[in-house]
Amino acid sequence: MDLSISIPYFCFMAILVMLVFVEFNLQNHNHRTKYIFVFALTLFTLFVGLKGWTGMDVMMYFEDYRDTPTLGEFISGHYSKDWYTDFEQGYHVFEVVCKTLGMSFWQFQFVYVLIDAIVLYYFFKRETNYCVLALLIYFIWWGWVFHAEQLRNANSVLLFMLSLRYVREKQVFSYILLNLLGMTFHTTSLFYIIAYPLLRITLTKNQLLWIFSVVMLIFVFRIKFINIILSGLYTYGGQHIASKIQKYYINIVYADSYYNFGMRKIIVSFAYVMFFFMPNYFKVGKNIDNVIKNVFVIYFILVFSLCEIRVLQDRASSLFCIGLVMIFVQYYADLKLKLHKQIYMLCVIGIMFITGIKYFSVEAYRYRTSFTAEADYKTYDDELEKRKLSEYLDAVKRNKDVKKEKSEQLKKFDKTRAEQGVEKVKDQKLHRQVINRNKTKSKTNSRKGLDDYHDYDMTEEEEMETDEQEEDEIQEEKDRDESGDDDKKSNNVKEDEENDEDLTDSYYNSRYKNSRSSSNRR
């Protein structure tokens, strides 16, 4: 843990805290707080939108945008064959538009965050009078992760936030339409559509108590039911979602459990008890909107019941994190005494900074700006490789029981992924050959004219023979890789019987290096 990494984040949060108190002062004197909120969102856009090689997912989005064609190239078919299958189509459409306008990836990222900030403005202005406070809590809780790393998730969550008004107004069509649009950015918006009936109900105090008791029993006794969920999704048409969950379930890096009672669980359980079971004591909770309350209840359920797979718990619960944000803002709004408000704000600020130390002091979040992106590229690439290797090794050590249980599943998964990677490289190479052949044909026609078609056909035949030879070489390489992988896996199995503890680490280390080399070839 390197606290120096957290300095830029603490400085930004400190500025937001000062703006929160300015907003409070204006509220007390019945002045408009619109411009303070606009200023805070401007700082948010600059801080997040101008970040460079920061985070784990930025390389993935950078490479995808690099392969994105312009609109003309897309219409003419001059793009990687499977480029449009990497992410959802709404995100790809936005990429194509920005690429056609000549934007670099960093300009694309800034515009993306700017649009997100505009959506946040309309949502917070509609939901609360304490917009800067809401932005501060949102930033520390999930906002940074959404807008700095999980770009597609950000759009999905923001569209859901906008659709909450239609739940109150009972406009089912508009609600579903917005979240279908969200599905074109991230498939998890499907959960929002399924959750609509849950958002409409009114929970009594007894029902809230039953939910709390059942969820705590699942958490305390570590009741596992992910396999049941997977079977249901596969049975009833949710294969795409199930395949994503299964990827986490069988991959040892993502499959570790998290049953510790950490800071987040303490905060969530505290909020649940205080808001729903003791509202009269602090004179709070009576003005909580029913829809926001239901969003928070769903968030509470997911945080405590999906601990079987840590990353699934994080990703699924984050979809409904806005419930916790708005609950904390409403808590402040309901407090009457000035002293209570001051004590509450001190607690919130303390929690925010303690959480920030945990999240923002890791090497992956070392803040770099897009202005130095070209100079930082090599450094970031080397650090990313080391972090991923360390992640694999740490996961193996953490999950001694899990690795024995899922070893065969991992091998099958990795073999399938390796085969898909070889096919992808082969298709990309053949596609490049076709493009080069077309370019050569165009240049030859313009240079020699119509009289040289015979000579050009001979050249094309020679190129086709060369392409066939290259295809044979690719096939031979694929066969060698498969045979080599089988030999390595059989050797690992034998060695694992002799010394399971030491050689499993070696297996995952070698597996990571193989996957890294295949990704470099891609």
Side-chain angles (χ1 to χ4, degrees), residues 253-512:
V253 175
Y254 302 118
D256 59 322
S257 302
Y258 187 63
Y259 287 97
N260 297 336
F261 205 73
M263 175 64 75
R264 177 169 59 168
K265 292 188 177 68
I266 292 174
I267 294 172
V268 174
S269 57
F270 167 81
Y272 194 96
V273 172
M274 295 301 294
F275 294 141
F276 300 147
F277 298 149
M278 292 187 290
N280 294 327
Y281 184 77
F282 289 101
K283 306 297 181 183
V284 296
K286 296 182 178 180
N287 297 321
I288 296 176
D289 177 73
N290 186 66
V291 175
I292 293 295
K293 180 170 71 175
N294 291 339
V295 173
F296 171 70
V297 171
I298 295 173
Y299 178 76
F300 169 81
I301 294 171
L302 296 176
V303 167
F304 281 93
S305 62
L306 295 181
C307 297
E308 183 181 352
I309 302 179
R310 181 171 187 165
V311 70
L312 182 61
Q313 176 207 46
D314 287 340
R315 297 291 177 89
S317 63
S318 68
L319 298 176
F320 299 91
C321 69
I322 194 61
L324 181 69
V325 174
M326 300 311 299
I327 284 281
F328 269 92
V329 175
Q330 188 60 48
Y331 194 109
Y332 177 85
D334 286 345
L335 289 171
K336 302 301 181 184
L337 297 179
K338 184 177 180 179
L339 178 62
H340 289 172
K341 286 179 177 287
Q342 291 173 344
I343 295 174
Y344 177 75
M345 277 306 304
L346 287 175
C347 293
V348 169
I349 293 171
I351 291 172
M352 294 301 102
F353 277 87
I354 291 173
T355 307
I357 290 174
K358 177 183 177 182
Y359 289 140
F360 298 138
S361 60
V362 295
E363 184 61 35
Y365 281 160
R366 183 177 293 278
Y367 191 83
R368 301 181 177 94
T369 68
S370 58
F371 300 112
T372 60
E374 186 174 350
D376 294 335
Y377 175 79
K378 185 63 170 64
T379 303
Y380 173 81
D381 192 42
D382 293 340
E383 290 176 356
L384 184 64
E385 182 176 353
K386 293 177 183 178
R387 285 198 298 270
K388 287 187 175 181
L389 176 58
S390 176
E391 189 179 42
Y392 271 98
L393 297 178
D394 290 343
V396 171
K397 293 177 182 178
R398 284 198 313 269
N399 298 282
K400 295 179 180 179
D401 297 329
V402 175
K403 67 183 180 183
K404 294 176 182 178
E405 176 186 346
K406 299 180 180 179
S407 178
E408 292 301 321
Q409 292 175 306
L410 283 166
K411 291 176 184 178
K412 292 178 182 178
F413 177 74
D414 288 344
K415 183 178 179 180
T416 303
R417 185 171 59 181
E419 291 174 351
Q420 292 173 348
V422 171
E423 292 297 326
K424 183 175 180 180
V425 171
K426 179 179 176 181
D427 292 339
Q428 288 177 344
K429 189 168 185 178
L430 292 176
H431 182 67
R432 286 196 300 270
Q433 291 170 357
V434 171
I435 294 175
N436 291 334
R437 225 177 16 245
N438 291 336
K439 290 181 178 178
T440 303
K441 182 186 294 185
S442 177
K443 292 180 181 178
T444 305
N445 287 340
S446 62
R447 184 172 61 251
K448 293 184 177 181
L450 297 176
D451 296 335
D452 295 335
Y453 271 135
H454 176 71
D455 295 336
Y456 176 77
D457 290 338
M458 293 296 292
T459 303
E460 184 177 3
E461 291 177 1
E462 293 174 358
E463 289 181 355
M464 292 178 65
E465 293 177 359
T466 303
D467 293 342
E468 291 176 357
Q469 293 176 0
E470 290 180 352
E471 291 179 15
D472 294 336
E473 292 175 359
I474 292 173
Q475 186 62 38
E476 292 176 2
E477 182 180 354
K478 176 181 175 182
D479 295 337
R480 286 198 302 270
D481 291 341
E482 290 178 350
S483 62
D485 290 340
D486 293 338
D487 293 339
K488 290 179 181 178
K489 290 177 181 178
S490 61
N491 290 334
N492 284 335
V493 172
K494 294 178 181 179
E495 293 173 355
D496 192 50
E497 293 175 356
E498 297 174 1
N499 193 343
D500 178 74
E501 179 63 27
D502 295 333
L503 295 183
T504 306
D505 294 346
S506 176
Y507 163 73
Y508 284 103
N509 195 353
S510 63
R511 182 172 69 84
Y512 169 76

Side-chain angles (χ1 to χ4, degrees), residues 65 97-109 111:
Y65 189 78
V97 171
C98 291
K99 197 69 175 283
T100 303
L101 295 175
M103 295 184 188
S104 67
F105 171 76
W106 307 111
Q107 293 169 333
F108 161 79
Q109 174 188 259
V111 172

Side-chain angles (χ1 to χ4, degrees), residues 80-213:
S80 176
K81 182 178 179 181
D82 55 355
W83 158 79
Y84 57 88
T85 63
D86 292 340
F87 296 135
E88 288 80 2
Q89 300 311 310
Y91 178 78
H92 281 315
V93 169
F94 190 73
E95 281 187 310
V96 170
V97 171
C98 291
K99 197 69 175 283
T100 303
L101 295 175
M103 295 184 188
S104 67
F105 171 76
W106 307 111
Q107 293 169 333
F108 161 79
Q109 174 188 259
F110 183 82
V111 172
Y112 208 94
V113 175
L114 176 62
I115 295 174
D116 291 347
I118 294 172
V119 176
L120 286 173
Y121 172 82
Y122 284 105
F123 175 76
F124 285 136
K125 287 295 290 184
R126 188 183 69 210
E127 297 292 331
T128 180
N129 292 325
Y130 300 100
C131 300
V132 183
L133 175 61
L135 180 64
L136 171 65
I137 300 175
Y138 173 77
F139 172 82
I140 188 66
W141 209 247
W142 272 105
W144 167 259
V145 177
F146 282 148
H147 304 286
E149 284 215 84
Q150 301 172 8
L151 299 181
R152 295 174 297 129
N153 289 69
N155 286 86
S156 175
V157 173
L158 289 176
L159 288 170
F160 168 68
M161 289 159 59
L162 291 179
S163 69
L164 291 178
R165 63 173 293 187
Y166 299 115
V167 180
R168 301 186 186 103
E169 298 171 1
K170 300 181 182 180
Q171 298 183 23
V172 184
F173 178 77
S174 299
Y175 174 85
I176 293 177
L177 189 63
L178 266 180
N179 288 291
L180 285 176
L181 179 60
M183 284 185 65
T184 66
F185 287 91
H186 205 280
T187 314
T188 51
S189 285
L190 175 63
F191 291 118
Y192 293 139
I193 299 175
I194 297 173
Y196 178 81
L198 302 177
L199 300 176
R200 287 288 309 147
I201 62 177
T202 301
L203 295 170
T204 65
K205 192 171 182 178
N206 287 335
Q207 290 171 333
L208 290 169
L209 180 60
W210 272 106
I211 291 173
F212 183 83
S213 302

